[in-house]
Amino acid sequence: MSPPRPDTQLVGFDDYAEQGRQLAAALGIPFLAAEIHPFPDGERKLRLPPPLAEHLVICRSLNDPDHKLIELLLAAGSARDNGAKRLTLVAPYLAYMRQDMAFRPGEAVSQRIIGRLLAEHVDAVVTVDAHLHRTHALDEAIPLAQAINLTASGAIGAFIARQRPHALLLGPDRESAQWVAAVAEAGGGLEYGVAEKTRRGDRDVDVQLPPLTYRGRQVVLVDDVASTGRTLAVAAQRLHEAGASSVDCVVTHGLFVGDALASLHRAGVDAVWSTDSVNHPSNRIPLAELLAEALRGLVVPVGQ
Ligand code: R5P
């Protein structure tokens, strides 16, 4: 007899398979590997081996987003064509969330445009620490009844409390205030401050520290995302100039493009830690349990 068709499956992708398998295991649902063939001209063929469950959880972070967005559209479209009735996107890192307004007339508001695109193709989205600054709730960016923005601040706070129990936390810019405050609380009431950042270009930033005592302190920089690493590197330089005894960094999403990691160490950063929302050697804080808890109400494990 063939095994019962599961009600829910988790669709995973090669570059994010480990996290997908951990999440499927935590939920007690089968893992289905999407098959992708890149053609020489850059187009892609995608296959979801049948039979498909009625509810598919598509699990992939959207860093390095452009080809992943196309693959997501192919996966969602082919899933519907082959009988899936409900699609939940689990993208711990959501791309294009930082451009949340037109800073100059004519600029695309990427957050809204990509948000609408996702909402047209899936029924629910679950993410972690989405970059919502001027936007207050994820459903303002992704117009879905189930647009769920989890936070890793509890796990990050507990992690820092173990690694640096006496740390002073610092958010490098105003946008980080929400995360550093939550991490400080989750770390058992750690002291924290928020710096001011001036950005003149992609890799040209300056950071002004708030008036706190840094001499002799172990400081941990906390941010949602590190891309070039310039924000954290400049903050680390300022902290060393102010006498900090050590500087470490923790981020939810470690994009760390190019030589970002090396430049952080050159700026005097000791440890660099991140969640596993984006694959990187700095990954120390797994998200599977946080995601599974949010998804448990939405999926049906095999055999129930
Ligand atoms: C922006 O406000 C974000 O929270 C990060 O601070 C920013 O994206 C970091 O970029 P980078 O690492 O390139 O300085």
Side-chain angles (χ1 to χ4, degrees):
M1 218 173 65
S2 54
R5 181 180 164 180
D7 294 294
T8 311
Q9 286 166 313
L10 185 141
V11 175
F13 293 78
D14 272 359
D15 61 285
Y16 208 61
E18 184 50 36
Q19 290 92 329
R21 285 187 193 283
Q22 282 174 18
L23 182 55
L27 291 168
I29 61 174
F31 177 91
L32 179 78
E35 297 170 8
I36 293 179
H37 173 73
F39 290 111
D41 59 8
E43 292 185 6
R44 277 149 162 80
K45 180 168 71 177
L46 179 140
R47 176 172 180 261
L48 301 178
L52 296 184
E54 291 214 336
H55 179 191
L56 296 184
V57 174
I58 302 176
C59 178
R60 192 185 210 184
S61 268
L62 294 174
N63 54 303
D64 192 8
D66 296 355
H67 75 278
K68 292 185 187 172
L69 283 167
I70 294 294
E71 289 169 8
L72 175 63
L73 302 191
L74 294 176
S78 102
R80 301 242 194 241
D81 289 346
N82 288 288
K85 300 270 185 298
R86 182 170 173 76
L87 303 178
T88 297
L89 171 65
V90 176
Y93 176 69
L94 263 188
Y96 287 110
M97 290 293 117
R98 280 168 286 178
Q99 178 81 14
D100 59 1
M101 64 176 275
F103 295 90
R104 288 186 305 144
E107 277 182 359
V109 182
S110 315
Q111 185 189 80
R112 256 194 341 246
I113 296 168
I114 299 297
R116 280 200 302 260
L117 178 79
L118 296 177
E120 281 161 17
H121 291 270
V122 300
D123 303 292
V125 171
V126 178
T127 189
V128 180
D129 291 336
H131 192 90
L132 303 179
H133 177 47
R134 281 159 284 255
T135 310
H136 298 107
L138 188 61
D139 62 1
E140 292 169 33
I142 306 177
L144 287 171
Q146 284 179 319
I148 300 170
N149 183 28
L150 305 171
T151 180
S153 51
I156 292 177
F159 178 84
I160 295 177
R162 288 194 301 275
Q163 301 291 328
R164 301 285 185 269
H166 308 293
L168 165 64
L169 307 187
L170 187 77
D173 55 25
R174 262 188 240 171
E175 283 151 290
S176 66
Q178 55 179 309
W179 292 291
V180 71
V183 167
E185 191 183 334
L190 294 167
E191 200 185 334
Y192 75 94
V194 177
E196 277 290 330
K197 177 166 79 180
T198 311
R199 184 180 282 286
R200 290 179 290 259
D202 290 342
R203 292 167 196 271
D204 183 7
V205 298
D206 201 5
V207 172
Q208 201 183 359
L209 301 181
L212 299 170
T213 303
Y214 299 100
R215 189 149 301 282
R217 295 297 305 265
Q218 292 186 313
V219 183
V220 178
L221 287 161
V222 178
D223 209 353
D224 60 330
V225 46
S227 175
T228 66
R230 286 308 295 156
T231 299
L232 295 174
V234 174
Q237 282 161 5
R238 299 285 169 270
L239 287 166
H240 280 297
E241 287 159 12
S245 62
S246 69
V247 180
D248 307 295
C249 303
V250 63
V251 293
T252 304
H253 310 295
L255 302 175
F256 297 120
V257 299
D259 74 339
L261 193 57
S263 77
L264 286 177
H265 292 311
R266 281 199 299 273
V269 173
D270 296 324
V272 178
W273 302 302
S274 61
T275 77
D276 62 358
S277 75
V278 175
N279 288 322
H280 189 264
S282 61
N283 290 171
R284 291 290 180 283
I285 303 160
L287 293 175
E289 204 32 61
L290 176 75
L291 295 166
E293 203 164 305
L295 284 159
R296 274 193 192 105
L298 307 178
V299 305
V300 184
V302 181
Q304 288 190 14

